[in-house]
Amino acid sequence: MDLNVKQSGIHSCVPHVSYFKNRSGKVYKRAAERYLRTDLPCGLAQCAACKDFGKNPLLKTENPVKNSLVGRHVLIVDSTSLIRFYDLFDSELLRNIIVTQTVWEGVKAKAIPAYKKINALCYEEALDRFHVFMNEFHFETFSEKPKFEDLSRGEELLISTVHYLAAHWEQQNVIPVVLVFDDDSKQRIKKHYENVFYLKEYIQNIESPGKQALLDQMAAYENSGSANEKQIFDEYLSHDKIMEGIANGSIKRGTFSVSRENYREATVIIDDQLNSWFITGSNCNRSVNGDVVAVQLLPESRWTCPEKKIRLRDVEEYVKTADDMGNEEDDADDEPKAKKSKKNTVPTAKVVGIIKRNWRQYCGMLLPSTVKGAKRHLFCPAERLIPRIRIETEQAEILSQQRIVVAIDHWPRDSKYPLGHYVRSIGEMGSRETENEVLLLEHDIPHAPFSEAVLDCLPREEWEPDLSENRGPLPRVDLRHLTICSVDPLGCTDIDDALHCKQIGDDLFEVGVHIADVTHFVRPGTAIDDEAALRGTTVYLCDRRIDMLPCLLSSNLCSLRGEEERYAFSCIWTMTSSADIQSVKYHKSLIKSKAALTYEKAQEIIDDPKETDDVAQGLRGLMKLSKVLNARRTGNGALTLASSEVRFDMDWESRTPKKVMEKQHLDTHSMVEEFMLLANISVAEKILQEYPDCALLRRHPVPLKESYKPLIEAARHRGFEIIVESGKGLADSLNRCVDTKNPMLNRLLRMLTTRCMTQAVYFSAGTVPVPQYQHFGLACAIYTHFTSPIRRYADVIVHRLLAAAIGADDIQSGLLNQAKCTKVCANINYRHKQAQYAGRASVQLNVVRYFKGKVETCEGFVMGVRNNGIQVFVPKYGLESIIVLQPGSDTAIDVEEMAVKVNGEAVIRELEPVTVRVSVNEKNQQRPRVELQLLKPAIPGLSVDFDLSSSEGLGL
């Protein structure tokens, strides 16, 4: 070999042959050259021979935790231990760990979750505890031919590495220790190397009380049930049989969705037309909400229908002990009885296999057994759609006062509950910090501080705009002379949008929407762009905001603050007084907002005839045109829906709510909304014209007629007819639903309409048929999001597409890739949904905090009647709770007529007002809850209630 090659660190070149199998099962041979090296670091900080070869973090400082089995040592872990127990390696008790290249590749091939965790530990989270040793490229540790007949290839390469390191570290008095999964592996390897322990053995001999938590995490694997136990669930079909069934249509694939009202019922959507099959009881067959499952239709004689009964796991926790719930034998009441009447039955199926698990780590609380000395306990996840999880721990007394994280390991056929293990504690139960952390973790909200790499992408704080600074050939337009202003909620600091309106002719107006030019600062392929893409959206909680972009951009340099020059992306129309658009143009611009107004202040200016300056005239022009635009949209069938939004007046020092206020709608809200909608539609048309196969758009699918059934029935009981054949028919029929005796009726029906809707989603043009591009709720053929790039990553993508379309910037190659665009859409759809859920959960959490120590009488409205209770909505606080009813001899519930009857007379009907007392029930210290008590009409037999406003238990 040439001298210059040897000096480069290459020792030799060897041929390497490997074999792999493709999807059809055919085996292929792959031949390649492998260059073995002399300059790969061993990882030991004290090793003089390797100090110049790279980072060597191991034993940089002496390990403070000793082990009675061995002295000064470094751990080398096998792949099975990492795959089965990867959560354990978060612990600081396990230090100075080498992951060999062979083990790394084995974990990557067999278990993606374990691989992601180990990758994060080695390269992000625990750089001082882990080192990756490239044993298959080191000339001392690579071996082409087998040397030990009794060892697998992986074990042999592990032994080669250990032998090399033992000799290499002899002068440093450091012992390589091999950790394996079980005793069998230990006995095989111990024939060739002495210092081998199985993982549990090593942990048991750690000289630290913290080892008990690690042993608890391992416990679930040791008791998975006996073969002689009664089997509760059917065995899953084999993968081949499932694939064969999917191919011939006898088996369908879909996502398992648990009912929010009855945890023993679920549905699976089986096709693109959103048809679904109903699943109940043991037919759910160990499925967890979100799993991708294989389902098979039952014979029609076994079809059933929803119970129309409220069954919430949270309610059970008030009337049953943990031991009652944990009794595997006590199953008599667990199985919903099949309907004897075949009236209203629906296609009913059973789960025959799991295609993809949706398991993750769950936050929640321990329900400790009352049996003294018990090790097996139930864990209750914060998300009520997830089943309780059985774990083993000897720390139940301590953990019962904390919020903890638990992971599911497996779910045997003989177990009523999945088996899992304790991962870590979050904090003290009831503290604001702990409960907020639970909320963020449960909704998978990225909330860590921005990394140094992200912050390095920011401009200096003293940055000032420069009109000559361009990213593309098209110059930036100076619009500082225009009277532009922004209108936002009180306290808003991330101001995305501003507007202007001026008359330029007898019946001609120039109207502009100016959006923060985020893409000037957030460039493709940078760390800040990657982080924004991951976060997807800014998340708004009651007491904090989790930004998509660092504060320097979101609240300063990008924010269109009053009297400050800022870069913008402008969409400017020329239109008549009847809002007929004559022309539209787009360009990057430099603006200076004349005023940053709140909705309330803007409304005052418009309504005050004494206000006559340019800002007031511009606002009045915008208001007149917005009303024309709104009338046109609603005339086309756009829906006006309603929600239960409330907002808090917060004490920002203690971060506690002082006052809960229902959001008031002003004309200025509609004014801004109309022009944002117009900008989004105009930009959608432009980018679709330029990029018909990869434009990022937003669509709202037409709901199935079946999904309107609750709305139609509720309106029918109040004497109204709902037309669902078209959007316009629906909008017009909702407008007719007015009851002078019950002014809230129309709003309640619009809330029910919202619940019938499918969710709007982002998508890449070209991935669905063009007729499906439509946005049903807005009654427009094409739509996107352009107006909020500070807080939505979708808008950032749209800005880049529009800039490329008008020649203001170069096109990023990834934007033209439909597959990449689809992947981006999937992430931002998920992040957008989770952000909405997190916001709602934050409201409910703060309602509980607000009502601690308070009792208030409020007006509520009945939103639903079930076989065992009524669903009540309290508009003042955005609360929607269940009051469970125990019918007596004089009290009956008629779910067909949606009424509660006493002595045959209806005293409560759906959508009618009731009077309730609102308070917080703190009998269960683990889970305080908002409680409603019915005052009027008074009916005997009403008992507990529970909050349904979010998918999580409130859990303070």
Side-chain angles (χ1 to χ4, degrees), residues 873-888:
F873 168 59
V874 181
K876 183 175 181 180
Y877 295 107
L879 279 171
E880 191 163 337
S881 298
I882 291 294
I883 300 179
V884 178
L885 175 65
Q886 307 293 340

Side-chain angles (χ1 to χ4, degrees), residues 320-344:
K320 289 185 179 182
T321 67
D323 298 304
D324 292 334
M325 291 183 285
N327 188 353
E328 303 282 6
E329 300 298 324
D330 186 19
D331 254 359
D333 189 47
D334 273 11
E335 191 68 23
K337 294 178 174 57
K339 303 289 180 183
K340 293 181 180 179
S341 169
K342 293 302 172 186
K343 183 181 178 183
N344 297 326

